[in-house]
Amino acid sequence: MMKRKNSAKERIVFQGELGAFSHAAVQQLLGADVEVVPMLRFEDLFRSLKSGKVDGALVPIENTLAGSVHENYDHLLHYELPIAGEISVRIVHNLMAPPGVPFSKVRRVYSHPVALNQCLRFFEANPKIERIPFYDTAGSVKTIMQDLPPDAGAIASRVAAEIYGARILRRSIEDDRQNFTRFFLLRTPDYLKRHPLRKDAAKQWKTSLVFTTRNIPGALFRSLSAFALRDVNLLKIESRPLRGKPWEYLFYLDLIGRLDDPNIRNALNHLRELADLLQILGCYPKGA
Amino acid sequence: MMKRKNSAKERIVFQGELGAFSHAAVQQLLGADVEVVPMLRFEDLFRSLKSGKVDGALVPIENTLAGSVHENYDHLLHYELPIAGEISVRIVHNLMAPPGVPFSKVRRVYSHPVALNQCLRFFEANPKIERIPFYDTAGSVKTIMQDLPPDAGAIASRVAAEIYGARILRRSIEDDRQNFTRFFLLRTPDYLKRHPLRKDAAKQWKTSLVFTTRNIPGALFRSLSAFALRDVNLLKIESRPLRGKPWEYLFYLDLIGRLDDPNIRNALNHLRELADLLQILGCYPKGA
């Protein structure tokens, strides 16, 4: 970890442009009093945190429509940066335009294709508005504010409207309101030594881990017995086949409990007897 | 099911443009002798198959980097269209341009942002080439062939190059070769009555199902005992929290075996005793 003055704001890295949904997630979890550092790709987040250039990283781990972000699970395994928090953010798409451009004048709407595709009902109801794909949601707001004639809108987060000074014309135009992304806040082990998480930070804590078994069925069933026999609540279990190794699987597992709870410790010791690999990804306050 | 002449080609619907990776998946699973019908969104595939307008639908269900497509699992539950086959397709990104445009002349490359982001190493090695986001991979090929000056390339599948007559300049420029998408082929129950799947179509068969339990841990552990006690091999298990219903979960499960195997039948009867809901999504030959 590089040394900086204590008075300096924490630097938190996220993937995307300023105003991206990841940026909104940083604000929701840590408030506005942090310095956010946008980066291009997921692995950059892990690298810059590992090297001590930033104090934390916020990475998306699963989405209610699109599933688990396996790439980030892979980085979690590789970089061994502990999870220190979590937050679920509802993905709300807003139509916005530069101030002074009324809805009736909007002829073209820029956004990331995934966002455009999540607002199909809006475009069906407004067939005169053309959809134009753009590199990302927040970047499309930046562009309509700077470079385009006043008939262009963008679809993006509320935070993007604030950052670039756009005015929201239609709120929450997404087809599916059950669109949530869950993020992990990562720290370095060193940071957590200096700033340990307070036990009273939350009523419930979660522990996330990854383990492998050589073969299902017996193996998974026995692995889960380590938890079932001790009444440990599981919140997530997901298998992921290891490519090129038929019948070998990686499992993602979230449970309710803290690592310093003897019951959890016993369960994990039991699992360790049964699993080929067991890696604890972190123990953190259960988020909203 | 609408009646058509027996001699007519089968009509298979997929999501995306002609030349999309889903189109490549149709060819890989069913050969070139089918009529493909591209559609805009996932739900259109289910609707058009349910209404008998097409003979089959090919839907993506999970990707090795991006996880399970929960939206399509939801449609599977709702529309009750049985899975009749599966195929895993490697996502290979190729750089292509109109014939006569050499690599040295390419200054701009169009593609879907997700595809562009999966080829970052290529763009780092070729910093003079600009990335331009487009609505989809196949559509970007169509556009560079028709509308653009001869310095534009596109990133898309080999099938898209064939369909639009583009020439591949660089093959397989994706950063990660472990990028596979698994697709289900769906039929109607009526179609499967008229064209039953032949038992000798494959050595191994898979059965996919969804079930819910009211709470973990005991419930999931006991549910899996239905399979473990009968030595049934599981290939996939994934939990999905039911939003607004804390502690209620949906589980996706794939197992090795056929529904007409008494051992599997007993396991499913046992599971039915334990689960609130159990829905069989299909029994189909294990694909490549």
Side-chain angles (χ1 to χ4, degrees):
Chain A
M1 201 78 186
M2 288 193 321
K3 281 184 190 162
R4 277 195 310 278
K5 279 173 288 178
N6 281 333
S7 61
K9 281 185 186 180
E10 287 210 325
R11 285 160 55 82
I12 306 292
V13 72
F14 69 91
Q15 188 271 332
E17 293 258 341
L18 288 175
F21 286 100
S22 292
H23 185 180
V26 174
Q27 293 194 348
Q28 217 170 299
L29 186 63
L30 299 171
D33 199 31
V34 295
E35 187 188 335
V36 285
V37 183
M39 287 202 170
L40 186 60
R41 42 175 140 173
F42 291 141
E43 194 166 8
D44 296 338
L45 310 181
F46 291 83
R47 273 198 203 136
S48 60
L49 179 58
K50 189 86 178 180
S51 69
K53 286 187 191 122
V54 296
D55 302 298
L58 207 81
V59 303
I61 202 68
E62 58 187 318
N63 173 271
T64 47
L65 303 178
S68 292
V69 185
H70 294 307
E71 181 186 343
N72 284 336
Y73 270 104
D74 289 343
H75 295 319
L76 279 172
L77 280 173
H78 178 69
Y79 285 92
E80 304 193 19
L81 292 163
I83 307 164
E86 66 167 351
I87 182 90
S88 259
V89 172
R90 201 181 123 208
I91 306 301
V92 177
H93 293 306
N94 303 295
L95 175 74
M96 54 196 73
V101 177
F103 181 71
S104 60
K105 290 268 185 278
V106 174
R107 284 287 164 272
R108 297 170 295 148
V109 168
Y110 290 72
S111 197
H112 191 285
V114 171
L116 294 170
N117 266 331
Q118 290 179 346
C119 304
L120 291 179
R121 253 178 248 140
F122 169 83
F123 288 104
E124 282 169 358
N126 297 281
K128 279 184 189 157
I129 297 181
E130 194 190 349
R131 283 173 284 167
I132 304 184
F134 201 75
Y135 213 78
D136 61 33
T137 56
S140 68
V141 186
K142 201 169 157 185
T143 291
I144 62 159
M145 295 300 293
Q146 294 176 345
D147 306 333
L148 294 170
D151 65 351
I155 290 174
S157 71
R158 189 186 47 75
V159 176
E162 284 166 15
I163 288 175
Y164 301 108
R167 208 163 61 91
I168 294 179
L169 300 174
R170 293 286 184 275
R171 282 178 201 282
S172 195
I173 60 169
E174 69 280 0
D175 297 333
D176 190 338
R177 303 210 164 180
Q178 296 298 314
N179 185 358
F180 289 79
T181 300
R182 179 184 176 214
F183 294 84
F184 282 153
L185 172 66
L186 308 182
R187 301 289 192 178
T188 58
D190 184 59
Y191 180 98
L192 286 181
K193 246 174 247 164
R194 288 182 289 114
H195 308 274
L197 296 170
R198 284 176 49 182
K199 203 166 177 174
D200 59 2
K203 259 198 221 168
Q204 285 195 312
W205 286 64
K206 280 163 96 164
T207 298
S208 292
L209 51 103
V210 170
F211 67 95
T212 62
T213 64
R214 198 152 295 159
N215 61 61
I216 302 177
L220 172 62
F221 182 66
R222 274 196 297 266
S223 302
L224 293 186
S225 75
F227 303 106
L229 294 171
R230 292 172 182 87
D231 289 330
V232 175
N233 267 308
L234 305 185
L235 289 176
K236 169 178 180 153
I237 181 151
E238 182 171 343
S239 67
R240 182 172 166 204
L242 293 173
R243 278 210 86 89
K245 297 186 176 177
W247 309 102
E248 286 192 45
Y249 292 82
L250 222 146
F251 292 91
Y252 308 144
L253 195 142
D254 293 352
L255 58 85
I256 287 284
R258 281 170 59 93
L259 288 173
D260 58 8
D261 173 341
N263 192 45
I264 301 294
R265 230 170 21 222
N266 290 335
L268 293 176
N269 285 338
H270 185 175
L271 178 60
R272 220 167 257 122
E273 295 172 40
L274 303 165
D276 287 341
L277 169 149
L278 168 59
Q279 198 168 319
I280 309 293
L281 302 179
C283 175
Y284 49 92
K286 185 170 180 291
Chain B
M1 199 78 186
M2 289 193 322
K3 278 182 191 162
R4 278 195 310 276
K5 281 174 287 178
N6 282 331
S7 61
K9 281 185 186 180
E10 286 210 325
R11 284 159 55 84
I12 307 293
V13 73
F14 69 92
Q15 188 272 330
E17 291 260 341
L18 288 175
F21 286 100
S22 291
H23 185 180
V26 174
Q27 292 195 349
Q28 215 169 302
L29 186 63
L30 298 171
D33 201 29
V34 294
E35 187 187 335
V36 283
V37 182
M39 287 200 170
L40 186 59
R41 43 177 140 174
F42 291 140
E43 194 167 7
D44 296 339
L45 310 181
F46 291 82
R47 274 199 200 133
S48 60
L49 178 57
K50 190 85 180 182
S51 68
K53 287 189 189 120
V54 296
D55 302 298
L58 207 80
V59 303
I61 202 68
E62 59 187 318
N63 174 271
T64 48
L65 304 179
S68 291
V69 185
H70 294 305
E71 180 184 345
N72 284 336
Y73 270 103
D74 289 342
H75 295 320
L76 279 172
L77 279 173
H78 178 71
Y79 286 91
E80 303 193 20
L81 293 162
I83 307 164
E86 66 166 352
I87 182 90
S88 259
V89 172
R90 199 180 125 208
I91 305 301
V92 177
H93 292 307
N94 303 294
L95 175 74
M96 54 196 74
V101 177
F103 181 71
S104 60
K105 291 268 185 277
V106 174
R107 284 289 164 270
R108 295 170 297 148
V109 168
Y110 290 71
S111 197
H112 191 285
V114 171
L116 294 170
N117 266 331
Q118 289 179 346
C119 303
L120 291 178
R121 254 178 248 139
F122 169 83
F123 288 104
E124 282 169 358
N126 297 280
K128 280 183 189 158
I129 298 180
E130 192 190 353
R131 284 173 281 167
I132 303 184
F134 201 75
Y135 212 79
D136 61 32
T137 55
S140 69
V141 185
K142 200 167 157 186
T143 291
I144 62 159
M145 295 301 292
Q146 293 175 346
D147 307 331
L148 294 171
D151 64 351
I155 291 175
S157 71
R158 189 186 47 74
V159 175
E162 285 165 13
I163 288 174
Y164 300 108
R167 208 164 60 91
I168 293 179
L169 299 174
R170 293 288 184 276
R171 282 177 200 284
S172 196
I173 59 168
E174 70 280 1
D175 298 333
D176 190 337
R177 304 209 162 182
Q178 296 298 313
N179 185 357
F180 289 79
T181 300
R182 179 184 177 212
F183 295 84
F184 282 154
L185 172 66
L186 308 181
R187 302 288 194 179
T188 58
D190 182 62
Y191 179 98
L192 286 181
K193 246 176 245 164
R194 287 181 288 113
H195 309 274
L197 296 170
R198 286 177 47 184
K199 202 166 179 172
D200 60 1
K203 260 200 219 165
Q204 285 194 311
W205 286 64
K206 279 163 96 163
T207 297
S208 292
L209 50 102
V210 170
F211 67 96
T212 63
T213 64
R214 197 152 297 161
N215 62 62
I216 300 177
L220 172 61
F221 182 68
R222 274 197 296 267
S223 300
L224 293 185
S225 74
F227 304 105
L229 294 170
R230 291 170 182 88
D231 288 329
V232 175
N233 267 307
L234 306 185
L235 290 176
K236 169 179 182 152
I237 180 150
E238 183 172 342
S239 67
R240 183 172 166 205
L242 293 173
R243 277 208 88 86
K245 298 186 177 178
W247 310 103
E248 286 192 45
Y249 292 82
L250 222 146
F251 291 92
Y252 308 145
L253 196 143
D254 292 351
L255 58 85
I256 288 283
R258 283 170 57 94
L259 288 173
D260 57 8
D261 174 341
N263 192 43
I264 301 293
R265 226 164 30 216
N266 290 336
L268 294 176
N269 285 337
H270 184 174
L271 178 60
R272 220 167 257 122
E273 295 172 41
L274 305 165
D276 287 341
L277 169 150
L278 168 59
Q279 196 169 320
I280 309 292
L281 303 179
C283 174
Y284 49 92
K286 184 170 182 290

